[in-house]
Structure formats: structure tokens, C-alpha cells
Amino acid sequence: MRSPRSVVVAGAGAAGVAAAETLRREGYAGSLVLLGAEPALPYDRPPLSKQVLTGAWEPGRTVLRDADHYAGLDVRLVRGRAAGLDVGRALVRVEGAPDLPFDALVIATGLRPRRLPEGRDLAGVHVLRDRPDALALRADLETARAAGLRAVVVGAGFLGLEVAASARSMGLEVTVADPLPVPMMRQVGPRVGAAVAALHRDRGVDLRMGAGVQEMVAADGRVTAVTLSDGTTVPAGVVLVAVGAEPAVEWLRGSGVPLGDGVECDEHCRAAPGIYAAGDVASWLNPRYGRRMRLEHRMNATDQGAAAAHNLLHGDVRPFAPLPYFWSDQYDVKIQAHGVFPEESDVTIEEGSVEDGRFVALYRSGGELTGVLGWNLPARVLPYRKRLLER
């Protein structure tokens, strides 16, 4: 297989950085461009909802690698947002900058947060995806705390609950609203979701489950309250909308690259000849489960970035078949999960107890083990992870 003369990696998050580093580590010596939409050096996102939001870390601490690292790898960092793809001419269009030609392309443009039509243009209503989002939200949280105002989080998934925990640690009163009956219902199911609810209520969070947003109330262009679908109105000095995210694929529309729930790839992360995708934006066929997946997990971004680069360079020799893994830190609790968690799963507490705040939960579907979740028992999760890997 002929090695490409030029590779563009579109997206400078964890997946894009892993792809660029893997190409160099495995012997690629041609031109290599890492295209990032932000002016900052590529950085890690998980600390944004925790350490950066609370002020425990300065933003610069999230940087994945320093500038000298990229120079040493002869990786050219280009600042600009991917605005279009011309497959026929092998060009990435860049907003406000020259086109980038390529022989091979890795798409790693990640996600963009969903917004609610209610409150879209109001001051004090935030989403959280990038570092500027985190700093703007932190400033408003600090202002709300000083004024004795409440924070409202719309959405009780990972991100919303991590922000709720951070806001409580900063001393704010917090309300979390979600239409589902328990927090993290889609990620961990009702039984562990109930434990998550108890965790937050014990820390003083006002959980409004089964309630969506009906209206954002404002005065002088700034949010002052949130009216919920149950008819109640919650005062708000600051609001975070955490209702999920969508793959950032708008720049690819009309290019011919297959799109569905993200960039559709085969088991080698290949979307088209010479074009691969990795990370949150990639929907690929996972041979471990025999079905298409798109994972919004930090470790998957790194692993898939490396896998896509390897297959680009060596010719689709290694199917990407990971066991999914995710974690969440909320207060003094670390939740770690391996595998998949179907909605109809039968859940058993295998070790420890929910009441003691340390347990291992096993998820089975059709009698078959599909996932393991640890709650402050990281070492005890590993034997079950091994069982999942051996299946």
C-alpha cells in the first residue's frame, strides 16, 4: 500500500491528537496537519465540568500536549473551523483560511451541544462543550452565588449531574430538572439511577424528575426563572442546558461522505476511500457486538483515533472492537462502567451495597452478562471486565 503524502486530521480534541501521534509513532513521514476550531492548544474536556468549573484548575492545566510536542512531531497546527469537504478535489474547506489538500483524512470534529428553543438568546443560559463555555458558566455561577441566586440544570445525564455537583461544591443552591423518572436513566437504568438520585438529594440538590422545561422567564434579557412542565416555576440566576449533543457533521453535508448518527464507518473506522473517522463523531460497526455504535466517551476517543490512524496507514488491517468504558465523578463518588447497558437489563448488586455507598452492579440481558458498573469500588470491577473481554 502506498503511504499518503499528506494527511489532514480535522478536529483537535483527544481523538484528533491520538490520530496524529499514532501516525508519527507508526512511521508516517509525510505532511501532517491538525485542524482545530479553537485558538488554544488542544485540551482535555472532562475537567471542564469539574476542576475548571469550580476554579480548582486553571484552564491551561487541561492542555493535552505543549506546543513543542507538536513541533517535535512535525505536526502543523492550523486554527480554523472545518467548513466543507470536497472529496473529488481532496480539499477540506476552512472557515476564514485557505483550503487544506489531503491524500488521506481523519474526521474527528466531535459534537455540538443541543440547545432549547426556550431561552436560546437569554443571558445566563449556558451550554457546556468547550473551554470558553466553562469559563463563561463559572463566571455566572460565581455571580449567582454572590447574589444568593439558584442554579438550574436542565438535563440529568452525566454532564448535568457533574455540573450540579460542582455548583453545590461552590456553595450554590441547585435544582436539576429532567423528563425521565430517575437521573442517568439512559446510561445506567432505573436501579442505579435511583442511587444517583439519592446521592444528589443527600447533598442538597432539588431534583425535579419527570419535569421538562416549559418556559424560561426573563427580565431585561436575562433569565430569572424556569417554568417546568409540571406547572412549577423555579427561580434561577444561571441555567445550564445539558440535554445531549449532536455529531458535528454539518460541514460534511453534500460531500458524499455517508452520514447518519454521525459519520458512518465500517469496522476499520473507514467512511470512504482514504477517509476515516474517530471519536464522538464516528458511527462504526463494532465487531464485538455486531452492530453500529457511536460512543461519546473520553477513552473511546483516544482509542479510536489511534485505530483509525493505524488502519489509514497500514490498510484496514485491524477491526476496531472495543469494550465500551465510561466514568463519572460526582462529589466523592467515582462511577466506572464497562460494557453495554440495554434498557431491559436485569441488574444485580454483586458486591457491596447501595446503602454503604460502595458496590458493583452487574447487567445481564437474556441471561448474558453485558456490563459491569462500579460505585467507589474500582479494583473490584476489573475481574468482571475481564469476563466481558473474554466473551
Side-chain angles (χ1 to χ4, degrees):
M1 176 185 173
R2 182 178 68 87
S3 180
R5 292 167 299 176
S6 61
V7 177
V8 171
V9 179
V17 169
E21 291 178 334
T22 300
L23 286 168
R24 288 299 192 226
R25 184 171 59 248
E26 297 192 4
Y28 174 65
S31 168
L32 181 53
V33 170
L34 182 60
L35 173 65
E38 296 182 61
L41 285 169
Y43 58 86
D44 213 7
R45 295 186 189 276
L48 298 181
S49 60
K50 300 177 279 290
Q51 295 92 336
V52 173
L53 194 60
T54 63
W57 285 15
E58 287 303 311
R61 190 169 169 183
T62 62
V63 168
L64 290 167
R65 309 282 188 267
D66 61 26
D68 289 344
H69 175 78
Y70 300 104
L73 292 177
D74 193 21
V75 173
R76 181 161 69 97
L77 297 176
V78 174
R79 310 304 187 196
R81 189 175 301 278
L85 175 63
D86 187 330
V87 172
R89 298 176 63 196
L91 294 173
V92 174
R93 309 287 188 196
V94 182
E95 189 177 287
D99 297 344
L100 294 173
F102 63 86
D103 286 333
L105 171 67
V106 178
I107 298 168
T109 42
L111 303 171
R112 49 186 173 82
R114 293 191 182 97
R115 299 174 184 267
L116 296 176
E118 302 85 2
R120 178 180 289 270
D121 299 319
L122 292 180
V125 177
H126 296 261
V127 293
L128 177 53
R129 174 61 185 171
D130 57 28
R131 208 156 66 182
D133 290 339
L135 296 178
L137 177 58
R138 185 171 92 185
D140 265 4
L141 287 172
E142 290 172 344
T143 299
R145 177 182 58 190
L149 299 175
R150 178 174 292 269
V152 174
V153 176
V154 180
F158 285 120
L159 178 63
L161 294 178
E162 288 178 357
V163 169
S166 294
R168 285 297 293 143
S169 75
M170 296 169 69
L172 283 93
E173 296 298 316
V174 178
T175 294
V176 176
D178 192 293
L180 294 176
V182 296
M184 291 171 56
M185 177 85 170
R186 291 191 178 94
Q187 293 89 4
V188 300
R191 185 167 185 183
V192 176
V196 176
L199 170 69
H200 282 268
R201 288 192 170 114
D202 288 348
R203 300 306 198 279
V205 173
D206 172 29
L207 278 183
R208 306 290 187 94
M209 303 309 300
V213 172
Q214 180 176 307
E215 181 187 5
M216 300 274 190
V217 182
D220 298 324
R222 185 172 189 88
V223 69
T224 58
V226 178
T227 299
L228 302 177
S229 57
D230 62 6
T232 60
T233 297
V234 182
V238 57
V239 175
L240 172 73
V241 175
V243 293
E246 298 172 342
V249 297
E250 60 281 354
W251 66 284
L252 296 168
R253 301 201 185 282
S255 68
V257 170
L259 303 177
D261 178 28
V263 177
E264 293 194 343
C265 305
D266 64 13
E267 67 272 23
H268 300 104
C269 309
R270 189 177 78 115
I275 299 177
Y276 293 74
D280 300 344
V281 77
S283 169
W284 92 106
L285 291 169
N286 187 338
R288 180 176 293 276
Y289 299 99
R291 63 181 174 88
R292 185 168 293 283
M293 286 186 168
R294 188 178 64 78
L295 299 179
E296 299 177 9
H297 306 328
R298 171 62 177 83
M299 292 309 298
N300 183 73
T302 296
D303 293 345
Q304 195 167 25
H310 179 87
N311 285 322
L312 181 160
L313 197 58
H314 301 292
D316 296 346
V317 294
R318 185 184 298 168
F320 183 57
L323 180 74
Y325 166 67
F326 62 83
W327 81 90
S328 181
D329 295 322
Q330 300 172 32
Y331 309 106
D332 55 353
V333 170
K334 179 175 283 293
I335 299 168
Q336 296 171 299
H338 301 263
V340 294
F341 303 83
E343 288 185 13
E344 73 282 1
S345 294
D346 176 37
V347 181
T348 59
I349 304 302
E350 198 74 8
E351 299 187 28
S353 70
V354 174
E355 294 72 24
D356 290 341
R358 291 163 61 85
F359 64 87
V360 174
L362 297 187
Y363 289 68
R364 293 181 175 87
S365 182
E368 192 170 318
L369 182 66
T370 63
V372 56
L373 180 143
W375 183 293
N376 278 348
L377 274 180
R380 294 308 308 149
V381 168
L382 298 180
Y384 302 103
R385 176 182 181 272
K386 184 179 179 181
R387 283 170 54 183
L388 287 167
L389 285 169
E390 290 171 347
R391 279 188 52 227

